[in-house]
Amino acid sequence: MKKTVLVFAALIFSILLLFRLGEYSLITGNVTIEIIMAVVAFVFFGIGVVLNKNSLQQKKEIQPQPKVDFNKIEELEITNREYEVLQAVAKGLSNKEIAEKLFLSESTIKTHVSSLLLKLNAKRRTQAVQIAKELHIL
Amino acid sequence: MKKTVLVFAALIFSILLLFRLGEYSLITGNVTIEIIMAVVAFVFFGIGVVLNKNSLQQKKEIQPQPKVDFNKIEELEITNREYEVLQAVAKGLSNKEIAEKLFLSESTIKTHVSSLLLKLNAKRRTQAVQIAKELHIL
DNA sequence: AGCGATTTGGTACTTTAGTATGAGGCTTAA
DNA sequence: TTAAGCCTCATACTAAAGTACCAAATCGCT
């Protein structure tokens, strides 16, 4: 944060300097208006590139994972509980482990898993996970 | 491609126009040098931002998937056949289906899968897939 | 209050998955 | 030519996973 402030302060100072230098050079007749404008243009072009690059890179790091498509979940009529179970399945948990995690019986998990397999049109839980990822549900 | 050429042609034309306009305004005394330079700076800043954004967005789309870490595979002593099986498991295939795909017996697949579970320190194939993805093996 | 969907759970059974162990064939390096 | 890996396959289990069917409790909504 401190760094950002310092950089911006230096930047603004440099810009003012550039302006003043431009005017001074023009008055004394050392350089033409074209060159001044070209320098200004080039410098600001560079500033635009650099600033934009940094902000975009930040976005890249913050949000690298594709988001979940909740519409698809509704479309497939997957209920809340089923989705919770699906997430647990994707983590590689067994039915028994999922049951313990959600404080349910293993029977209940089996019911939910079977339901999920139907809705995702899968034959096995591994396939269900794969399909779910393709559909951006996970 | 045609579009790009046209855009650049228009851009260059606009820039020249801006320069001439700046000089003309200065000579006739309508505006001051500060305003001209400010306009030039602003325009080029914008150009820098836009151009950079487009080029970065392209990169984003071209390379969104993380690559496979082959070193990790060797590190875990996963053999070629085992890796083939792992890939098939990740696709959600059953042992029998994998056997048919690779022209092997189901027994062989079971052997490979068991070996994979050991090497990946997993208890189930679903967990193996999850771990493999975490390690960037898949 | 009652309907419909969800959630939960059970039993009984079939199918896959996974373990343990052994063994033969093949390739490669010592 | 052994030894070490790897790949293949088999048998015999045990453990999960999955199916089919049923049923009670709950919750949201009208």
Side-chain angles (χ1 to χ4, degrees), chain A residues 79-82 104-105 107-108 111-112 124:
Chain A
T79 66
N80 286 356
R81 261 315 200 202
E82 284 165 1
L104 297 175
S105 84
S107 300
T108 307
T111 306
H112 287 319
R124 283 162 294 283

Side-chain angles (χ1 to χ4, degrees), chain A residues 22-67:
Chain A
E23 290 176 51
Y24 176 76
S25 300
L26 192 65
I27 291 165
T28 57
N30 286 339
V31 289
T32 63
I33 176 91
E34 278 102 342
I35 292 176
I36 292 168
M37 287 207 290
V39 170
V40 170
F42 185 78
V43 168
F44 274 83
F45 177 81
I47 291 171
V49 169
V50 171
L51 282 186
N52 196 245
K53 196 170 201 169
N54 289 341
S55 70
L56 278 184
Q57 273 181 343
Q58 274 187 335
K59 275 186 197 167
K60 235 181 190 173
E61 286 163 18
I62 290 170
Q63 193 190 49
Q65 353 77 340
K67 325 111 195 173

Side-chain angles (χ1 to χ4, degrees), chain B residues 4 21 35 61 80 100 104 108 111 113-114 116 122 129 138:
Chain B
T4 307
L21 194 68
I35 292 176
E61 286 162 19
N80 287 356
E100 287 168 7
L104 297 175
T108 307
T111 306
V113 171
S114 280
L116 276 167
V129 170
L138 284 178

Side-chain angles (χ1 to χ4, degrees), chain B residues 77 79-82 103-105 107-108 110-112 124:
Chain B
E77 294 177 306
T79 66
N80 287 356
R81 262 312 202 205
E82 285 165 1
F103 305 105
L104 297 175
S105 84
S107 298
T108 307
K110 283 188 178 183
T111 306
H112 287 319
R124 283 162 294 284

